[in-house]
Amino acid sequence: MPDLTSSIPELVKVVKTARDSGRSVGFVPTMGALHAGHLKLMQEARRENDFVVVSIFVNPLQFDRKDDLDRYPRTLDADMDMCSTVPVDVVFTPSPSELYPHEQLAFVDVPDLTSHLCGAFRPGHFRGVTTVVAKLFHIVRPDRAYFGEKDAQQLAVIRRMVEDLNMPVAVVGIPTVREPDGLALSSRNKHLTAEQRQLAPLLPQILREAQSRLDKGERSASAISRAIKLMFRKYTELRLEYFEIVEPRTLKAVEHVDGPVLIAGAMWVGATRLIDNMSWPVETETN
Ligand code: PAF
């Protein structure tokens, strides 16, 4: 089993010992409820670094709805089992009062990148993410940090925070892991009933449909968007929150597609919100 600590000074000490002995440090920040997507992040961190730290912290600052925070899955025993298969060296599980001992007055904001897509529907969410990730970076001081490409806006925002604030860490994006029917792995999939689980793959399907329309020569984002919205008409249990075609780095909406884009969507299945994204043109793997 990896070492487990909830204490900032203890974690700092353990990582310092590793760093002082010349070992590189890889860091995988998570909110727990680990799945095969997290496993891939941890394995990549293991491959590229001598010492691997995983944090598990359900960060209250990034939840815009209390019910979402309360029902976020917490599965520490299973998470520890997964961490030990990698294996990671230390798992950091701070309590909210360890990370936020008093009212947080200093925040990190990346406004331009967070005003649309998920940011438009989750006020304060990205400010909570960037603030906690900045705190964790200061505590762990990793050489490399690993994030899933499934949360494309989060990844873009963290990259920009690191760049703008000259944080000495390399941000590594790891491709999305999918179920055989295309559904992206997410801790929130645990909330889906069997019936909802059957409907959830519509989200990756609409992204693929958009890719295929672009492949066939359609260049108007609004024409694609209209077609995608029609696909939802027959599902009363599903609600498309947004579907957008954006420029991959700035995340600004693109109307006429004349270069690489990111196709992103968020969909509600009952009380569960799912997000996903795909790139266009589709990158073919080269070995
Ligand atoms: O992606 C997540 O799990 C969280 O947003 C993160 C990066 C761990 C910050 O709390």
Side-chain angles (χ1 to χ4, degrees), residues 21-22 28 30 43 58 63 70 83 87 92 96 113 121 133 135 140 146 185 187 197 208 220 236 244 259 266 275 278:
S21 65
V28 183
T30 81
Q43 287 168 337
V58 182
F63 283 80
D70 291 344
C83 290
F92 178 46
L113 288 183
F121 298 92
V133 170
K135 282 164 81 82
V140 179
Y146 297 79
L185 295 196
S187 305
R197 175 64 189 79
R208 292 227 166 87
S220 158
T236 48
E244 282 203 48
I275 61 170
M278 290 182 193

Side-chain angles (χ1 to χ4, degrees), residues 72-138:
Y72 200 85
R74 285 146 170 103
T75 58
L76 184 61
D77 290 345
D79 292 350
M80 285 302 287
D81 286 344
M82 186 181 283
C83 290
S84 64
T85 65
V86 178
V88 312
D89 295 288
V90 54
V91 178
F92 178 46
T93 54
S95 63
S97 61
E98 182 75 1
L99 269 195
Y100 302 114
H102 41 240
E103 188 191 353
Q104 182 80 15
L105 294 181
F107 296 92
V108 181
D109 248 322
V110 188
D112 234 38
L113 288 183
T114 55
S115 56
H116 45 300
L117 299 176
C118 291
F121 298 92
R122 302 192 65 191
H125 166 69
F126 285 111
R127 183 194 213 218
V129 171
T130 41
T131 300
V132 81
V133 170
K135 282 164 81 82
L136 291 166
F137 281 178
H138 285 123

Side-chain angles (χ1 to χ4, degrees), residues 29-31 57 59 62 129 132-133 147 151 154:
T30 81
M31 298 206 297
F57 178 64
N59 174 34
Q62 71 188 72
V129 171
V132 81
V133 170
F147 297 87
D151 299 309
Q154 168 171 285

Side-chain angles (χ1 to χ4, degrees), residues 24-28 42 45-46 49-54 87-90:
S24 58
V25 178
F27 177 43
V28 183
M42 296 192 283
R46 177 80 280 164
N49 302 276
D50 304 316
F51 191 82
V52 176
V53 181
V54 169
V88 312
D89 295 288
V90 54

Side-chain angles (χ1 to χ4, degrees), residues 57-237:
F57 178 64
V58 182
N59 174 34
L61 213 59
Q62 71 188 72
F63 283 80
D64 49 316
R65 292 180 305 121
K66 186 170 178 319
D67 60 317
D68 192 23
L69 171 63
D70 291 344
R71 76 177 196 138
Y72 200 85
R74 285 146 170 103
T75 58
L76 184 61
D77 290 345
D79 292 350
M80 285 302 287
D81 286 344
M82 186 181 283
C83 290
S84 64
T85 65
V86 178
V88 312
D89 295 288
V90 54
V91 178
F92 178 46
T93 54
S95 63
S97 61
E98 182 75 1
L99 269 195
Y100 302 114
H102 41 240
E103 188 191 353
Q104 182 80 15
L105 294 181
F107 296 92
V108 181
D109 248 322
V110 188
D112 234 38
L113 288 183
T114 55
S115 56
H116 45 300
L117 299 176
C118 291
F121 298 92
R122 302 192 65 191
H125 166 69
F126 285 111
R127 183 194 213 218
V129 171
T130 41
T131 300
V132 81
V133 170
K135 282 164 81 82
L136 291 166
F137 281 178
H138 285 123
I139 294 165
V140 179
R141 297 207 280 129
D143 296 289
R144 298 178 195 84
Y146 297 79
F147 297 87
E149 288 177 356
K150 186 189 131 277
D151 299 309
Q153 190 172 18
Q154 168 171 285
L155 181 57
V157 168
I158 290 170
R159 283 194 199 286
R160 189 60 188 254
M161 168 184 83
V162 163
E163 200 177 311
D164 283 6
L165 297 180
N166 303 85
M167 293 180 170
V169 52
V171 174
V172 184
I174 301 289
T176 305
V177 179
R178 297 181 181 279
E179 300 279 10
D181 62 7
L183 182 66
L185 295 196
S186 161
S187 305
R188 287 192 163 82
N189 295 352
K190 289 193 170 70
H191 296 318
L192 301 172
T193 63
E195 202 180 309
Q196 291 172 339
R197 175 64 189 79
Q198 297 284 311
L199 297 173
L202 187 66
L203 184 55
Q205 278 160 26
I206 62 167
L207 304 178
R208 292 227 166 87
E209 174 66 23
Q211 283 178 324
S212 134
R213 283 174 185 256
L214 288 165
D215 281 343
K216 288 180 190 138
E218 177 62 81
R219 288 291 168 267
S220 158
S222 42
I224 295 173
S225 189
R226 272 195 303 276
I228 295 301
K229 281 173 188 155
L230 282 179
M231 290 171 69
F232 273 80
R233 277 220 305 221
K234 60 179 179 187
Y235 299 102
T236 48
E237 321 75 331

